[in-house]
Every structure is written in C-alpha cells, then in structure tokens.
Amino acid sequence: MKLHLNSSSHTPLYLQLEAALRSVLAAGKWRPGEALPPERELAEQLGVSRITLRKALERLEDEGLLLRRQGSGTYVAPRVEQPLSVLTGFSQDMRARGLEASSRWVQRGVFQATPEEALALGLSPGSQVARLERVRLAQGEPMALELAVLPARYLPDPEAVAESLYAHLEARSLRPVRALQRLRAVAAEEREAGLLGVAPGAPVLYIERLGYLPDGGVLEFTRSHYRGDRYDFVAELRSGA
C-alpha cells in the first residue's frame, strides 16, 4: 500500500498517516471485522516507524473506526448505515452487510406492564407483556442495547425466541407491516454505557419504535440505544415540488 506522506510538512507525520488511513477505510480497502496486518508488517508497507503508526491507529481507535484486541491485533470496527425507510430486524440488517449477528441476553420473560408500556401498546393497566432485553452484536462487538416489549398474548414464551425476534414472529404470522420511530441523541447513562462498552456520557442514539399489525393493532414497543460511533441512520428525502 502506497500512501503519500510529506516529511517536510508542518503537519506531524502521524496526523498525515491518520488522515490517509481514514481515507483507506472509507474506500473499503479493509472490510468491517477484517484484521489489519500486524503493526511491524504494516509499518514496513507504509514506510513509517511503528511509533508513528501506533499513534495514528490509536487516534482512529478513539474515533471508533478501529478496534484493538489484546493479543489478537487491530480490526476494522463494524459500522452500519441504516436506512430509515425500511422495516427490518437487526439480524437481517447484519446479514445483508455480510456481518455476523449475535445477542447477549440481559432479561427475557413475562412481566406486568409498566404504565408507559401499557399506554404504548394500548393495554389495560396490569396486563402481562413479554419483555426481551439484549445487547445486539456484530462481529462480536456491541452495537445496540434493545428492549422489545410485546403483549403476552402475542409472545407467551419469550424463551422460545432464538436470534431473530422478527423471524420468530413471522413464523406465527405476526410480523409487523409498518412502524413509527422517534430518534434523539442522548448521553449514555452508566447502565447503558456498561452494556455497550462505552464510557458513561458517550453519545448514543435513542430510538423508540411502535410496530403495527395489518389490522392496526400495536405488536411491539421497542426502545433501543445505538452506539453513535457504530451507526449512521440515513433517510432519503424527495422534493415536494
């Protein structure tokens, strides 16, 4: 790999290298989850010292573009562009991008609905709901914390859900056909930060979603925290003229 670095420039070499590697990553030279060559080999390829390379890699890691795993190496961090116009599940999204999806369960079971859940789902106070909370991962890295709540009549056995909630619902002819989502940027609180592997106060995208059945009934009320350094949400806008 040949990068154009100028040792006579007033810009430090590691900053030039950082910018050049960022361009390489943006161009898709290395795929998400792919390991970079070992530092010694990469430094030789680029014609820089390992100290210069390490500084550049550390800055890219701080930006969330790279992951450094102790004893394993440096990897391209998963990053997802998620269109807002298509209703899909996390597992389907990751497969479409060639990423391996997995989950780490936090809780799942049948509980009494909270007032907020009962209101969102159109249930009577004290109704039972299925609650599924899990950390969603791509290539083994936390991407989002997701809490899905459904009326218990639609999901009487939450333990039966394997990887994909939507696949499980579709098998029972219950897949939502439309959804309303609300997004806002928030600072990660201590609990969310710990589960997502980010620092408390780190920026995350908070999304509330209501999923509807063909008859207009509410099937799901989902609240998710997406890592701001892993997700870009994209909306296509058209002129009204």
Side-chain angles (χ1 to χ4, degrees), residues 18-234:
E18 175 197 351
L21 289 175
R22 187 184 295 106
S23 297
V24 170
L25 291 168
K29 171 69 176 179
W30 294 303
R31 291 178 53 82
E34 182 179 349
L36 273 62
E39 280 189 9
R40 183 185 300 277
E41 178 183 333
L42 187 56
E44 290 177 355
Q45 289 180 13
L46 299 174
V48 298
S49 70
R50 291 182 66 181
I51 293 176
T52 296
L53 174 62
R54 191 170 292 122
K55 283 184 177 181
L57 295 180
E58 286 174 353
R59 291 175 62 88
L60 292 171
E61 182 186 17
D62 290 342
E63 291 181 35
L65 298 177
L66 297 176
L67 298 169
R68 309 187 87 182
R69 296 173 180 160
Q70 188 67 31
S72 177
T74 301
Y75 296 79
V76 180
R79 191 172 185 93
V80 173
E81 265 197 7
Q82 177 63 40
L84 292 173
S85 58
V86 181
L87 178 57
T88 57
F90 180 87
S91 299
Q92 182 181 350
D93 290 338
M94 295 305 105
R95 284 196 300 271
R97 292 163 175 79
L99 301 175
E100 181 183 356
S102 59
S103 298
R104 186 166 64 240
W105 289 102
V106 179
Q107 64 165 322
R108 56 176 162 169
V110 175
F111 306 90
Q112 182 174 312
T114 66
E116 181 186 16
E117 291 166 350
L119 180 63
L121 294 169
L123 301 175
S124 301
S127 295
Q128 298 289 293
V129 295
R131 197 176 293 146
L132 305 96
E133 185 177 26
R134 52 187 167 166
V135 179
R136 310 306 302 268
L137 305 101
Q139 304 296 107
E141 295 298 325
M143 301 286 283
L145 174 63
E146 176 186 275
L147 173 59
V149 183
L150 299 85
R153 67 180 182 274
Y154 294 140
L155 188 62
D157 182 15
E159 294 284 344
V161 176
E163 184 56 42
S164 172
L165 172 61
Y166 275 13
H168 180 84
L169 293 172
E170 189 167 13
R172 304 182 65 215
S173 301
L174 286 172
R175 187 179 175 92
V177 296
R178 70 181 184 91
L180 293 177
Q181 291 194 145
R182 291 181 173 84
L183 297 80
R184 67 175 182 267
V186 300
E189 297 184 3
E190 189 169 346
R191 179 177 183 271
E192 288 80 18
L195 290 169
L196 289 173
V198 299
V204 295
L205 291 168
Y206 174 72
I207 299 181
E208 287 187 357
R209 181 173 69 214
L210 291 174
Y212 294 87
L213 293 167
D215 65 3
V218 181
L219 173 64
E220 62 157 334
F221 174 42
T222 298
R223 288 157 286 179
S224 302
H225 292 81
Y226 288 84
R227 287 183 57 164
D229 61 346
R230 295 285 184 268
Y231 259 87
D232 293 318
F233 286 89
V234 180

